[in-house]
């Protein structure tokens, strides 16, 4: 049990680090995949939505890790409120993906599905 938890934690950390802005080109598919993985980690009871409690627990685990990724898929304190766009008190997978994908689309100025390093450096002025 603990081993599995540790495994999924290190995977989460790698995923966060991988989508750090300004390191390398990022694809739209990657953003969707990372957001989906984070969602699955947060949805502890696997009922297909993240409740405020599940979000809180995820944040506690995340805060215990020293090096947190920033950027498109960063899960910050206001993540829940920003993602719950229909205001039903839970975050669905599509809501969880909509935000990072929206940020990605903003960065991907030429709409080729890849945020190049120069596109990201522009986007960093707006995101954060
Ligand atoms: Ca849930
Ligand atoms: Ca919702």
């Amino acid at each position: 049990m603990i081993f599995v938890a540790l495994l999924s934690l290190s995977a989460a950390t790698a995923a966060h680090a991988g989508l750090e802005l300004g390191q390398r080109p990022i694809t739209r598919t990657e953003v969707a995949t990372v957001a989906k993985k984070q969602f699955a980690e947060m949805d502890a009871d696997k009922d297909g939505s993240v409740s405020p409690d599940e979000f809180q627990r995820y944040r506690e685990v995340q805060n215990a890790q020293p090096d947190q990724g920033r950027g498109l898929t960063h899960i910050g304190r206001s993540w829940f409120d920003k993602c719950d766009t229909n205001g039903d008190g839970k975050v669905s997978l599509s809501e969880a993906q909509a935000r990072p994908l929206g940020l990605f689309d903003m960065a991907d100025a030429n709409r080729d599905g890849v945020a190049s390093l120069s596109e990201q450096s522009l986007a960093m002025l707006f995101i954060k």
Side-chain angles (χ1 to χ4, degrees):
M1 226 15 216
I2 290 167
F3 181 64
V4 172
L6 282 177
L7 264 184
S8 69
L9 273 184
S10 62
T13 309
H16 289 146
L19 287 187
E20 192 92 6
L21 286 171
Q23 306 288 312
R24 58 176 180 80
I26 295 173
T27 67
R28 197 173 199 278
T29 316
E30 269 183 294
V31 175
T33 305
V34 170
K36 190 174 179 179
K37 205 183 287 173
Q38 289 175 331
F39 181 87
E41 279 162 19
M42 276 187 270
D43 182 15
D45 64 3
K46 305 291 171 211
D47 69 344
S49 61
V50 170
S51 65
D53 279 356
E54 286 172 334
F55 170 62
Q56 220 34 63
R57 254 174 277 146
Y58 183 85
R59 286 277 299 159
E60 280 160 23
V61 172
Q62 194 195 40
N63 286 338
Q65 295 185 56
D67 187 25
Q68 281 311 311
R70 289 285 181 273
L72 295 177
T73 55
H74 179 61
I75 310 265
R77 196 181 310 124
S78 56
W79 177 90
F80 193 92
D81 296 325
K82 281 177 181 161
C83 284
D84 183 18
T85 44
N86 69 357
D88 68 349
K90 33 188 195 191
V91 173
S92 65
L93 175 59
S94 61
E95 283 177 332
Q97 285 178 316
R99 188 162 176 275
L101 287 176
L103 295 172
F104 177 89
D105 290 340
M106 216 172 65
D108 182 17
N110 67 358
R111 293 280 183 269
D112 66 350
V114 183
S116 66
L117 282 175
S118 61
E119 284 173 337
Q120 286 175 43
S121 58
L122 262 180
M124 276 190 269
L125 302 174
F126 300 99
I127 302 172
K128 295 204 176 185

